[in-house]
Amino acid sequence: MSAPAILGQLRQDFTYRLDGGLDAWRVPAHLGPVRGDCEEFALALAFRLAGRSWPRFFWHLASFQSVIWQCTTAQGVGHAALWHRGAGWADNIYPTWGARCRHRRRFPYVLPLLAIKLALGALVARMGGAKSAAE
């Protein structure tokens, strides 16, 4: 499936929902409805671009084929956007591929930092402090 088709499907499947309480990052690894905020959108898109394969997902992140960026919106709000090699930029605010990021880029979440965010998200979810992206 092509990057535009994958993004189009996620756009249909995605419902925005602000994290309740703590910001808990989770990879929505299932097909079908996804509820979450900008991080879940970026993570779901990266996972789907990797063919829903965990090894490929982490390889894409480690080799910078997919990079999640911390950005600031025009309103000054923190936001996550995905850059994917060969496709460009996409996020839940602008869910189309673009050649440039439509937000002010702050820093990339390189794999060690991303792994920490995901581990903390799993811990928060186990403790019941965040809603599941699959709900």
Side-chain angles (χ1 to χ4, degrees), residues 19-95:
D19 282 332
L22 298 173
D23 188 25
W25 287 34
R26 296 166 308 280
V27 178
H30 60 280
L31 286 177
V34 174
R35 292 189 185 130
D37 61 10
C38 54
E39 291 92 6
E40 278 76 39
F41 186 90
L43 289 164
L45 182 54
F47 192 74
R48 290 178 181 198
L49 288 165
R52 297 182 58 238
S53 161
W54 286 105
R56 229 171 133 196
F57 171 72
F58 285 111
W59 174 249
H60 278 195
L61 295 169
S63 63
F64 302 102
Q65 292 179 58
S66 289
V67 181
I68 297 173
W69 280 80
Q70 176 66 36
C71 302
T72 304
T73 65
Q75 294 76 27
V77 177
H79 184 63
L82 179 76
W83 175 84
H84 185 76
R85 185 176 296 144
W89 292 89
D91 62 88
N92 63 299
I93 296 174
Y94 298 101

